[in-house]
Amino acid sequence: MDMLNQILSINNGGAYGGGKAGGAFDPLTFAMKPQVVIRALCWLFSVVVFGCISSEGWTEKDGKEYCLYNGDGMACKYGNMVGVFGFLASMGFMGGEFLFERMSSVKSRKRYVMADMGFSAFWTFMYFVAFLYLWSQWSSSPPPPLGIGAGSMKTAIWFCLFSIVSWALCALMAYKRFLIGAGDEFTSAFETDPANVVHQQAYGYSMDNDNDQYSASPFGQPQQGGMEQQQSGLEYQQPTY
């Protein structure tokens, strides 16, 4: 649990959890970023999935191509599709992480984070479907001749399961980035609202004041004392005879 919290700790001081735009690029720091590490795992798992299926998922039977997943050609095609697009998307998002630190526009960072969050969540679902689909077809399929390809088919299923976890982590990190950015936008919008600025100046209140102190009211104690003195000076004096 502590390791998961450390992975999801991504607030670097900039907008949407990124670093300051225009900073110096450090390859080692970039390679150790949680987003880059998890994306690299997604890339590796995708290579294993479509590599196993495309290399040994098909065999010749009666002069036709036969998918080892119970003869269901759609199972092999779906597994290949999820793996190939996951491979391409992982490379694209790793390039996006490189450009993310150089995005000076907060709106550009917001669009990237939302795209990352949406696609990662969607591809988690796609891998979940692939895992169930391939596992159900493999459990019903007869053993391949001489056992050729059986290990690759099982490996593809296992790495679909691993991909579910890795893509879900990407979605969680993007969601946390979005929450950080949304909180920053709310705070900056409140502090720069003209109505709030006038209100703070009128009552001497500051967002940075931890004690929440207010300035003295214009109708405070000194004015009240002056009124009492005026009233005492205007008291009726009984005439002497």
Side-chain angles (χ1 to χ4, degrees), residues 211-231:
N211 296 325
D212 294 338
Q213 296 178 351
Y214 291 83
S215 62
S217 172
F219 304 101
Q221 188 66 27
Q223 287 79 0
Q224 185 176 359
M227 292 293 295
E228 291 177 354
Q229 292 178 1
Q230 292 179 4
Q231 290 178 0

Side-chain angles (χ1 to χ4, degrees), residues 162-181:
F162 299 155
S163 296
I164 295 172
V165 178
S166 61
W167 282 95
L169 283 175
C170 291
L172 285 175
M173 287 188 291
Y175 177 67
K176 187 170 183 180
R177 269 181 169 177
F178 180 77
L179 291 181
I180 293 172

Side-chain angles (χ1 to χ4, degrees), residues 26-168:
D26 185 3
L28 182 59
T29 303
F30 175 77
M32 295 300 293
K33 287 180 60 177
Q35 293 88 348
V36 177
V37 174
I38 301 300
R39 288 295 178 193
L41 291 178
C42 292
W43 177 84
L44 177 62
F45 297 162
S46 298
V47 170
V48 174
V49 170
F50 81 79
C52 289
I53 297 176
S54 60
S55 62
E56 294 187 341
W58 299 89
T59 186
E60 289 286 338
K61 186 176 183 179
D62 298 332
K64 297 181 180 180
E65 288 188 339
Y66 179 83
C67 178
L68 293 183
Y69 288 114
N70 200 25
D72 188 355
M74 286 300 299
C76 288
K77 292 178 181 178
Y78 183 80
N80 270 330
M81 183 270 295
V82 173
V84 170
F85 280 98
F87 166 80
L88 296 175
S90 299
M91 293 183 62
F93 280 113
M94 281 193 286
E97 288 297 328
F98 174 77
L99 298 175
F100 185 76
E101 304 293 340
R102 287 155 179 76
M103 295 179 185
S104 58
S105 173
V106 177
K107 291 184 178 180
S108 298
R109 289 193 175 191
K110 181 179 181 180
R111 294 190 189 101
Y112 174 81
V113 170
M114 292 182 67
D116 184 6
M117 179 174 58
F119 186 87
S120 297
F122 176 67
W123 222 246
T124 301
F125 172 75
M126 294 290 284
Y127 265 113
F128 178 73
V129 173
F131 171 74
L132 294 180
Y133 189 13
L134 299 182
W135 176 75
S136 64
Q137 292 299 325
W138 178 251
S139 61
S140 303
S141 62
L146 303 177
I148 299 175
S152 296
M153 299 302 97
K154 294 178 182 179
T155 301
I157 295 173
W158 276 107
F159 275 85
C160 283
L161 179 62
F162 299 155
S163 296
I164 295 172
V165 178
S166 61
W167 282 95

